[in-house]
Amino acid sequence: DRLVPPPAYLAFTKRVCSLHRFLAVPEDGQALQQGLEQGRVVLELATRILMDTVIHAWGSAEVESWVELIQSLLPGGRDGVERSRWLLDMFVADVEERGSFISHLWLFKGLVANRNLDARTSIVALLGQAARMVAEEERSVSWEPNQGQQVPFCFCDSSEESDSGSDSPLTPRAPRAAAGPQAGAKAAVKRPSLTNNYPTSATTLARFIDKALELLPELPPHWRHFGEYFQLFSIIADFGPQEKAFFLSRRVVGRCVDVFLHEDSPFAREHRHRIRMGDKLSSPNFTYMMDLVTKLVCSVELEREVEPPHQEVPAPTQLPVVGVLDNTSANMVRHKLFIKKLLVDVVNPPKTRQLLQHLSWNHPRLSCLVLTAACEVVESEEEYGVLFQILKSLINLQDAFVEGRTDKFVVCFLKALYNNLQYPEACVRCLELLAEEISENPLLRQMVLRAIILQNRRRDVCRWFEACLLRSEGETIRLAAEQVALAIAFPALRSASAQADAGTPRGTLGGGPAVQARATADQQTKTLFEHLILMDEALLHTAAAVDRPRGFSCSPLASYVRCLSTMVQLSEDGWFKAQFRRHFGKFHQLLDALNELGHEMDVSKAELIRLFYFCALDSPETLDLLTDQFSGVRESLLGYYIIIRPHKAHIIYNRQNLPFLYNLLLLCCRHSTSFTVFLMGHRNSMWAVDNFICSSTRYPETLAVLLQIVDVALAIKGHPEVLAEFKQRLLRVLLGSKAITNCPDNAVALFRRLVDDVLVNAEDLHELLESSVLECMFIGLAQSHPTCSGTGRRAFTPQEDTIAYAIRILHKVLQALEAKKVEEDALKTALKKCKCRTLGIQALFKALQDPSLHRGLRPAAFDVCARLCAVDPACGAAGVSELQRAYEATKLKSLGQIRMELARSVIEDANGETGDVGRGGAKKGEDVNGKKEGASGATAGESTKNDSSQDSAASGRPTGEDVVELWPQCRGPTEDREAGLILDSQWWELCEELCQQCVEGAEDGGPARWQAIVRLILSCVLDCVPDSMGDHGKSSTIRLSKIMDDLLLDCMAVKAGDGEGTKGGGVVKTESDADWVLEAVRGDEYSSAFPLRAILCYKSLLGHDPILDVVVALLKLVVPTWERNWIRKVVQQVFADLLEYVEVVKGMKGVTDQQEAVSAYYDLTEELNPFFVLQRVPGLLSMAVELRGDNACCDEVEQALEVLQVHMTDEEDQDGFKRLRELMSGMSEAMRQWKQP
């Protein structure tokens, strides 16, 4: 029908029916009775509108709202019970329509014929509420189960119920509707009589259930919608034991099973409808039916087939007993067809599992029946999820028949597994279930192992294990069978094995500690191992010789061997290795057979090597067999067929399996000297070196083992000829390899073991220079340092790091070239072929700046840098460029910048912690250079020598705020100060050589070239200044100053018109070069920084003529670019220093030691040198005009000179005093000139 009734009409009727809820409750009895009667009328009206009108409309929203309205009209109390009775009676009432008699009209329309799920659910909720109210009223208070009383809700006693045989009909056939005698004729419609042998219903609820159960034969045509019909009965059965007992008296279990089986039911001939239920897309909903059947069956006490002591133990699924299950229903529920259909259709899995457990408990026959049916389903179906859960619950039932049930499961399940071999996915699922349950069920483990051992003797057990492990064509089946074997061997490792199969590579050598702790072998493990190792040899050779396609090859032998190797690996018992040695010849023959086949990526052969390796670990007896020179085993091992291809599959295969082969060879080499000698002479040893060391970086695991084998071979004693030949072969492979540059780390690792043999004679050195080994050293240097290669690296260590080995190798080679007097041209030619030599030099310079570089490597690194930069111009240019970059990258900020940043930070952090501001504007804990105390960029000596600069900043003396006050630092901290000075001296010597090379090679370089050279020289000088008090720092400062002074002298000579510069080194050739140099000096900030450091902080340096000359020369060039305020501050600072010497001189009067006085005055003369620097700079003398008003300062200086002059007259015969008198007279003359207008 699906009509659309007028919405206004429905809304009006709903409002009318809802008004009754808001009427006031009358007080007198008559009015109260009238109100109750009105409520019944409203209930009847609302129910009829729902079932005669709304139920036919589209949509379920109206049905739900009307059901809610009717539920509100069912109040508690007596009146609500009466209304509920009327409601239940009306739903199962028989109705005459159009000359036909229709029974259960409303119930049929609401729960069976209704296509709307929400509407059916709402009707179930309404009837469930009404039934609960009626049941609470009609339930017998004195009834108790199993007391021989009458059936609840019935008249007759339960003993009056006639017994039903197994073949008696469950219910008489009743027609759905009967037509009248003729069309249009009025005939009396008579309800058909139903004869049954059930106890007579005595209550409304009982009559309702009986009438509702009469619809069971009419359900098949409506199989899409009858789920809620059974839901109603399930709800009623949950009311209590009396309701369950009533259902049992009506044989509901058998009648429901009859509907469920339908065409397969024993009573199918009596069915009214023979329509097929279900189609390809959907199945009938028997979920609530199964729920009802399980509740009823578990509420009766079934007959058990065990001895009396075990009968007392109730089943875990047993519910309180409420009655007895009739024979017909018991036979129906135990029917094999019913059990199989439950499993095939996957009907309500939790309730199905509960029912089958209840039937199987302490019942051997039913247990075997259920297991047989389930295993037959395993053979025929593809979905195993629910089925396996049910099987697991059955075999884990702990009753008196647990052993028999487990044995029956093993027999039936293994038969089903064997029959599923042609369906790999199904077979694998079965094997996985078996492995999982074996690891958790010790009894099942024992039974399955017995089935494996006795499969040739028991007729009911097929040869399933061999078929799955060796004969199956599907690799997945073999792997699953392997898991079954390992589960039997080590049940506790089931989860660990699953994780290894999911993501752990097979290349792992040995199990971890956690795995070893759980791998405990018992007698059953040994039994399985013995069975496997005694397996028919012909069968193994047949499995090994199976034809396989080219490429990845996994013969049936792989899983078999892997089972053996895993047992040996995970067990500490030496019994397994002893068994292997007893049958060693069989496995040796298998290895030879697999080698002859020559399959690529043969997993079987790889697993066989893996077995050999684990049997050889900690087993000298096994190693004796492997290294025997007469058995041919070592020929088989070294003749192992390996193929190298650049494909991903080949790479993965080799990385996982080759480490086992070479670790096995390593064990044999360490065990037997004769085996080592045989390996050293075998052709495949050099093939391995060439392919895994010199030609590829894809196999780091194999590389590590190969290098260990080489170490063992090189350490052999007693065979000098063999060792010498082996070394020569290694050198020929290494020096002759064309692909060695692709794997520089490998080349470094191998060559460091052979470098001492190359340095013996000049011929080998020439061959080395012609090879690509030097290029590998440079590539290794470049790739090992993070700033060159862009990748991270470990901390420098002299034993492991590639850069350390490369430095040592280069140092030895360069020393040997010099010692053997090999022509320098040969080295130059070799270096020109090295395209990465500049990157290597850059890496060396970066390493020298890295504090983590081991101290023992630094001298070698300095020497390599100096030699290479001197020989090769490209290396020298790279070194200069890196030196410039190093100084510029570490350039520190000026005082002005630091003060501006500090002021800015103080303003920004005004509301936070600002810290104490110390002298010079620096925060507490910082010096004026903006560096933290103890920072890595400053050494102890440097911070001491900066004290005068800090004092100047604190007292307001001139500091040249916009002139660079600081100098770059590129040296790391050293705990040993003396060692640090030695390393610094090597660095400065390298800097001197590079600076000299730059100056000498700067011809026609252009302004940018001269600017870079000037900057480099000044940077190096400033780096030496902090350590100039030491011999190394002073000498380097002098030599670097000499280079700068010579350059300036050449410029002056050229500018003066003397032709090419000859006063220095003749480097500056043209006037344009001189202009470029001078312009570079004037424009470089370091040209001001170095003189200021010398005259203000490190005055003793001025006692050396080259330094004094270059300071004066620089000042003459840069002073014109200074502001006059700067010049004034510098002059005032020098005068202030002179005033301090007055106190020094006065303190010398009491000196008795003549030598001490001479030393003190000599030091004093050195400290006065800044004054003469000012005197020699014309730009500074021009400040005399501005100083005329500062007579106080001039007078103080004159007084100091007079005091000094008085003290000098006492010791006129001393050279120091003579020099001091000369200086003082000069100073006095200068002061007189300055004081004149």
Side-chain angles (χ1 to χ4, degrees):
D1 40 18
R2 294 303 179 198
L3 303 176
V4 182
Y9 171 75
L10 290 180
F12 169 73
T13 54
K14 187 185 296 184
R15 292 187 62 184
V16 171
C17 295
S18 302
L19 290 175
H20 178 73
R21 294 182 296 176
F22 303 102
L23 297 177
V25 180
E27 297 180 358
D28 55 62
Q30 183 177 0
L32 178 60
Q33 186 64 29
Q34 292 178 356
L36 296 176
E37 191 64 30
Q38 289 176 359
R40 297 188 188 100
V41 172
V42 173
L43 173 66
E44 181 177 355
L45 174 61
T47 307
R48 291 186 181 277
I49 292 174
L50 169 65
M51 300 308 299
D52 293 336
T53 303
V54 178
I55 201 71
H56 300 278
W58 283 99
S60 60
E62 286 294 333
V63 175
E64 294 177 7
S65 62
W66 277 93
V67 167
E68 292 177 358
L69 174 61
I70 295 173
Q71 287 177 326
S72 67
L73 296 174
L74 297 176
R78 185 69 182 175
D79 185 59
V81 173
E82 293 299 326
R83 296 183 188 182
S84 298
R85 285 173 175 166
W86 175 88
L87 187 65
L88 295 179
D89 288 339
M90 288 302 298
F91 262 85
V92 295
D94 302 330
V95 181
E96 177 188 358
E97 283 190 359
R98 301 175 183 177
S100 300
F101 179 81
I102 304 176
S103 61
H104 325 88
L105 178 62
W106 283 4
L107 186 65
F108 182 77
K109 289 195 301 183
L111 294 183
V112 178
N114 193 340
R115 297 184 179 182
N116 191 289
L117 175 61
D118 294 334
R120 296 196 303 271
T121 304
S122 300
I123 297 299
V124 169
L126 175 62
L127 294 178
Q129 178 180 347
R132 182 178 293 277
M133 297 178 66
V134 173
E136 292 175 355
E137 181 67 22
E138 297 178 348
R139 191 178 294 136
S140 175
V141 179
S142 61
W143 182 87
E144 294 183 6
N146 295 332
Q147 298 298 324
Q149 302 178 3
Q150 68 181 31
V151 177
F153 310 109
C154 296
F155 285 119
C156 67
D157 188 79
S158 61
S159 61
E160 298 177 6
E161 181 181 354
S162 61
D163 188 26
S164 303
S166 61
D167 56 350
S168 62
L170 293 170
T171 180
R173 185 166 54 190
R176 176 74 185 89
Q182 294 179 358
K186 291 185 178 181
V189 179
K190 185 178 180 181
R191 177 181 176 183
S193 61
L194 297 177
T195 59
N196 57 49
N197 51 1
Y198 303 146
T200 305
S201 302
T203 64
T204 302
L205 179 61
R207 288 191 295 272
F208 172 77
I209 295 174
D210 281 338
K211 294 287 289 184
L213 288 173
E214 291 177 4
L215 284 177
L216 279 171
E218 308 298 328
L219 293 181
H222 307 278
W223 59 270
R224 296 180 185 274
H225 318 121
F226 61 46
E228 286 66 34
Y229 170 82
F230 293 105
Q231 183 184 8
L232 176 62
F233 292 148
S234 179
I235 292 174
I236 295 175
D238 286 334
F239 289 168
Q242 297 188 34
E243 288 75 10
K244 291 188 180 71
F246 181 79
F247 278 117
L248 290 171
S249 71
R250 263 53 185 170
R251 303 189 213 168
V252 169
V253 173
R255 295 164 74 178
C256 289
V257 174
D258 178 52
V259 174
F260 176 71
L261 292 176
H262 193 45
E263 297 175 345
D264 299 326
S265 173
F267 304 100
R269 290 179 298 177
E270 302 178 8
H271 290 176
R272 177 182 178 86
H273 302 285
R274 297 187 181 276
I275 185 173
R276 182 180 179 84
M277 294 190 296
D279 55 24
K280 294 181 178 180
L281 300 179
S282 57
S283 301
N285 182 9
F286 286 109
T287 301
Y288 296 108
M289 184 218 73
M290 194 61 206
D291 184 53
L292 175 63
V293 170
T294 303
K295 291 176 185 175
L296 297 179
V297 174
C298 292
S299 298
V300 300
E301 188 172 359
L302 297 178
E303 181 182 356
R304 306 296 179 182
E305 296 181 352
V306 293
E307 299 298 328
H310 298 287
Q311 290 180 346
E312 299 177 359
V313 180
T317 55
Q318 181 70 56
L319 300 177
V321 179
V322 298
V324 180
L325 189 66
D326 62 282
N327 293 337
T328 304
S329 297
N331 292 334
M332 293 288 285
V333 82
R334 294 169 179 171
H335 204 288
K336 186 176 181 181
L337 290 176
F338 172 64
I339 296 173
K340 286 188 66 174
K341 188 172 177 60
L342 282 178
L343 298 175
V344 171
D345 293 348
V346 194
V347 179
N348 199 343
K351 295 301 178 181
T352 300
R353 182 169 62 249
Q354 181 182 353
L355 176 63
L356 297 182
Q357 286 179 329
H358 190 73
L359 295 176
S360 302
W361 179 262
N362 280 335
H363 204 300
R365 183 176 59 84
L366 281 181
S367 295
C368 294
L369 177 67
V370 171
L371 290 173
T372 302
C375 291
E376 289 178 1
V377 176
V378 170
E379 293 186 35
S380 59
E381 296 299 317
E382 298 180 357
E383 296 295 332
Y384 294 152
V386 174
L387 180 60
F388 284 174
Q389 292 295 327
I390 293 174
L391 282 173
K392 286 193 280 187
S393 66
L394 292 176
I395 61 178
N396 288 315
L397 277 178
Q398 301 300 318
D399 60 355
F401 189 61
V402 59
E403 293 187 10
R405 188 183 299 108
T406 304
D407 183 66
K408 184 65 176 179
F409 165 78
V410 170
V411 172
C412 297
F413 191 77
L414 293 182
K415 180 181 178 181
L417 187 152
Y418 185 79
N419 293 334
N420 277 337
L421 276 176
Q422 55 184 332
Y423 307 105
E425 185 176 354
C427 187
V428 168
R429 294 284 303 278
C430 294
L431 289 169
E432 289 175 349
L433 170 68
L434 204 59
E436 180 181 353
E437 288 304 302
I438 287 172
S439 62
E440 299 175 358
N441 192 329
L443 180 60
L444 180 62
R445 178 194 179 201
Q446 179 182 352
M447 296 289 185
V448 174
L449 178 60
R450 186 171 63 182
I452 294 174
I453 302 300
L454 303 178
Q455 58 184 354
N456 298 330
R457 306 177 212 175
R458 290 184 58 175
R459 295 181 179 179
D460 56 348
V461 178
C462 53
R463 298 177 65 87
W464 65 277
F465 187 68
E466 293 179 0
C468 294
L469 189 64
L470 287 171
R471 295 177 178 174
S472 174
E473 297 181 358
E475 182 186 356
T476 55
I477 296 178
R478 297 195 298 270
L479 292 175
E482 175 190 343
Q483 292 303 313
V484 172
L486 294 180
I488 296 174
F490 304 106
L493 288 182
R494 166 65 186 172
S495 57
S497 299
Q499 295 176 2
D501 293 338
T504 304
R506 299 296 300 174
T508 305
L509 296 178
V515 175
Q516 293 284 2
R518 294 193 298 266
T520 303
D522 54 10
Q523 186 58 43
Q524 296 183 20
T525 308
K526 295 181 179 180
T527 302
L528 177 61
F529 185 85
E530 187 175 10
H531 173 77
L532 290 174
I533 208 167
L534 291 174
M535 198 165 283
D536 187 10
E537 187 173 350
L539 177 62
L540 298 181
H541 281 277
T542 302
V546 172
D547 291 335
R548 287 160 278 170
R550 181 180 180 183
F552 187 80
S553 176
C554 185
S555 74
L557 200 62
S559 295
Y560 164 77
V561 179
R562 190 157 48 237
C563 291
L564 295 175
S565 62
T566 304
M567 293 184 196
V568 175
Q569 175 190 3
L570 299 182
S571 177
E572 298 179 356
D573 195 341
W575 179 88
F576 295 91
K577 297 179 181 179
Q579 292 296 316
F580 171 79
R581 290 193 295 271
R582 290 177 56 188
H583 304 276
F584 177 78
K586 176 170 65 175
F587 294 101
H588 180 207
Q589 293 177 6
L590 284 177
L591 178 62
D592 288 339
L594 291 173
N595 263 334
E596 291 177 2
L597 293 175
H599 290 299
E600 296 184 14
M601 297 185 293
D602 194 338
V603 180
S604 300
K605 186 171 60 175
E607 292 298 336
L608 198 58
I609 290 297
R610 188 166 172 261
L611 173 63
F612 283 14
Y613 169 74
F614 287 121
C615 290
L617 278 176
D618 302 324
S619 177
E621 297 84 358
T622 306
L623 288 173
D624 288 339
L625 294 175
L626 292 172
T627 57
D628 185 11
Q629 56 182 335
F630 302 108
S631 62
V633 180
R634 61 184 189 180
E635 287 81 1
S636 301
L637 293 178
L638 289 173
Y640 187 92
Y641 180 75
I642 303 173
I643 187 167
I644 306 296
R645 295 188 188 275
H647 305 127
K648 183 177 180 180
H650 286 79
I651 295 172
I652 293 175
Y653 170 83
N654 289 329
R655 287 197 63 176
Q656 290 179 354
N657 298 302
L658 289 183
F660 288 102
L661 171 64
Y662 287 104
N663 270 285
L664 179 62
L665 297 179
L666 177 61
L667 291 177
C668 294
C669 288
R670 290 173 175 171
H671 178 76
S672 171
T673 303
S674 63
F675 185 91
T676 306
V677 172
F678 179 76
L679 179 142
M680 293 167 67
H682 201 278
R683 65 183 185 279
N684 284 345
S685 59
M686 292 301 109
W687 179 90
V689 171
D690 187 22
N691 285 274
F692 295 119
I693 297 181
C694 300
S695 302
S696 178
T697 58
R698 294 191 177 106
Y699 308 101
E701 302 87 359
T702 305
L703 167 69
V705 183
L706 269 176
L707 291 176
Q708 294 183 57
I709 294 176
V710 170
D711 289 337
V712 174
L714 294 177
I716 192 172
K717 297 180 180 179
H719 301 274
E721 298 83 3
V722 176
L723 180 60
E725 177 64 23
F726 181 69
K727 290 182 178 180
Q728 287 300 319
R729 294 173 64 197
L730 284 177
L731 284 173
R732 285 196 296 270
V733 171
L734 178 61
L735 300 180
S737 176
K738 302 300 181 183
I740 191 65
T741 54
N742 297 327
C743 35
D745 291 344
N746 301 358
V748 172
L750 181 60
F751 190 63
R752 72 179 181 85
R753 294 167 165 83
L754 306 171
V755 64
D756 293 333
D757 297 283
V758 179
L759 308 180
V760 176
N761 55 68
E763 290 78 9
D764 289 339
L765 287 174
H766 279 287
E767 187 177 357
L768 171 63
L769 294 179
E770 294 174 359
S771 69
S772 302
V773 173
L774 288 182
E775 177 76 352
C776 292
M777 300 299 113
F778 291 120
I779 297 175
L781 289 172
Q783 292 181 351
S784 299
H785 202 277
T787 55
C788 295
S789 62
T791 58
R793 60 170 175 83
R794 302 185 304 273
F796 287 115
T797 57
Q799 291 80 22
E800 298 179 355
D801 207 278
T802 299
I803 195 170
Y805 291 135
I807 290 173
R808 286 195 172 92
I809 291 172
L810 287 174
H811 188 234
K812 288 182 178 181
V813 170
L814 293 175
Q815 285 183 331
L817 291 173
E818 183 179 359
K820 299 297 180 181
K821 299 181 180 180
V822 177
E823 299 83 357
E824 188 174 304
D825 292 340
L827 178 59
K828 290 182 179 179
T829 304
L831 290 176
K832 288 181 180 180
K833 294 189 299 183
C834 299
K835 299 179 181 180
C836 295
R837 63 188 186 279
T838 56
L839 295 177
I841 291 297
Q842 292 177 6
L844 279 176
F845 272 87
K846 289 181 174 65
L848 289 172
Q849 302 166 44
D850 196 324
S852 61
L853 181 64
H854 194 269
R855 183 182 302 169
L857 294 174
R858 289 183 177 272
F862 280 119
D863 186 63
V864 169
C865 289
R867 291 174 184 268
L868 292 178
C869 291
V871 172
D872 184 64
C875 291
V880 170
S881 176
E882 187 60 30
L883 193 62
Q884 292 173 334
R885 188 210 60 80
Y887 280 121
E888 293 300 322
T890 56
K891 173 184 174 183
L892 303 181
K893 300 173 183 177
S894 66
L895 271 179
Q897 292 174 323
I898 293 173
R899 288 174 178 172
M900 290 177 61
E901 292 179 1
L902 289 176
R904 190 182 305 113
S905 63
V906 169
I907 295 175
E908 292 175 354
D909 301 337
N911 296 328
E913 293 184 3
T914 58
D916 297 333
V917 178
R919 56 185 182 179
K923 288 184 180 180
K924 186 177 181 180
E926 293 183 353
D927 62 16
V928 294
N929 295 337
K931 294 183 291 186
K932 296 290 184 181
E933 293 179 356
S936 61
T939 61
E942 178 187 352
S943 60
T944 303
K945 293 165 189 170
N946 282 340
D947 287 344
S948 59
S949 176
Q950 296 175 12
D951 294 339
S952 300
S955 60
R957 295 172 181 171
T959 56
E961 293 182 353
D962 291 330
V963 180
V964 175
E965 292 286 316
L966 307 170
W967 43 90
Q969 300 295 328
C970 63
R971 294 164 295 132
T974 55
E975 298 179 359
D976 188 346
R977 181 61 183 157
E978 295 182 359
L981 287 174
I982 294 174
L983 296 179
D984 289 342
S985 66
Q986 295 173 331
W987 172 267
W988 294 327
E989 290 173 3
L990 181 61
C991 292
E992 295 169 22
E993 184 170 348
L994 290 176
C995 290
Q996 189 63 44
Q997 291 180 17
C998 290
V999 172
E1000 294 175 355
E1003 184 176 359
D1004 300 329
R1009 175 71 170 168
W1010 284 115
Q1011 185 177 3
I1013 293 173
V1014 170
R1015 181 71 167 192
L1016 176 62
I1017 298 174
L1018 292 174
S1019 299
C1020 295
V1021 171
L1022 284 172
D1023 190 34
C1024 298
V1025 165
D1027 286 317
S1028 57
M1029 297 301 294
D1031 294 337
H1032 298 292
K1034 183 184 298 183
S1035 60
S1036 296
T1037 306
I1038 293 173
R1039 287 193 293 269
L1040 287 168
S1041 300
K1042 182 68 167 60
I1043 295 174
M1044 190 67 195
D1045 188 41
D1046 290 344
L1047 184 62
L1048 295 177
L1049 288 176
D1050 282 348
C1051 293
M1052 297 303 176
V1054 171
K1055 295 292 289 183
D1058 296 339
E1060 294 184 357
T1062 56
K1063 295 184 178 181
V1067 177
V1068 180
K1069 306 295 184 182
T1070 63
E1071 188 172 354
S1072 59
D1073 287 338
D1075 291 337
W1076 290 335
V1077 173
L1078 296 177
E1079 185 65 26
V1081 172
R1082 293 189 185 99
D1084 197 307
E1085 55 193 355
Y1086 289 175
S1087 299
S1088 300
F1090 175 50
L1092 285 177
R1093 295 301 92 196
I1095 65 177
L1096 297 179
C1097 301
Y1098 298 92
K1099 305 177 182 64
S1100 61
L1101 290 176
L1102 299 176
H1104 304 281
D1105 292 337
I1107 299 177
L1108 180 61
D1109 292 340
V1110 76
V1111 167
V1112 172
L1114 289 174
L1115 285 177
K1116 289 180 179 180
L1117 291 174
V1118 299
V1119 164
T1121 65
W1122 287 4
E1123 295 180 5
R1124 300 182 65 82
N1125 186 38
W1126 296 354
I1127 300 175
R1128 178 184 179 88
K1129 289 182 178 180
V1130 171
V1131 174
Q1132 287 180 344
Q1133 178 64 46
V1134 174
F1135 285 176
D1137 290 341
L1138 286 176
L1139 294 177
E1140 294 180 2
Y1141 299 149
V1142 175
E1143 300 300 327
V1144 176
V1145 173
K1146 291 179 180 179
M1148 298 300 297
K1149 291 181 179 180
V1151 176
T1152 57
D1153 187 353
Q1154 184 75 15
Q1155 188 64 31
E1156 181 181 355
V1158 172
S1159 177
Y1161 279 107
Y1162 186 77
D1163 293 339
L1164 183 60
T1165 61
E1166 289 184 341
E1167 298 297 336
L1168 295 179
N1169 278 333
F1171 179 83
F1172 293 97
V1173 173
L1174 301 184
Q1175 185 180 8
R1176 294 171 60 180
V1177 180
L1180 295 179
L1181 292 177
S1182 64
M1183 292 301 300
V1185 177
E1186 295 188 10
L1187 293 174
R1188 286 179 57 192
D1190 196 2
N1191 293 325
C1193 181
C1194 296
D1195 294 341
E1196 291 178 357
V1197 173
E1198 288 184 348
Q1199 293 176 5
L1201 293 177
E1202 292 176 358
V1203 173
L1204 292 174
Q1205 191 70 28
V1206 171
H1207 284 274
M1208 284 186 294
T1209 56
D1210 297 336
E1211 300 291 344
E1212 296 182 358
D1213 55 337
Q1214 296 296 330
D1215 294 338
F1217 292 108
K1218 292 180 180 179
R1219 183 168 179 265
L1220 185 57
R1221 279 201 304 274
E1222 295 176 358
L1223 293 176
M1224 292 301 102
S1225 61
M1227 291 170 61
S1228 301
E1229 181 64 24
M1231 290 301 299
R1232 285 193 296 271
Q1233 294 178 3
W1234 284 15
K1235 291 180 64 176
Q1236 295 177 1

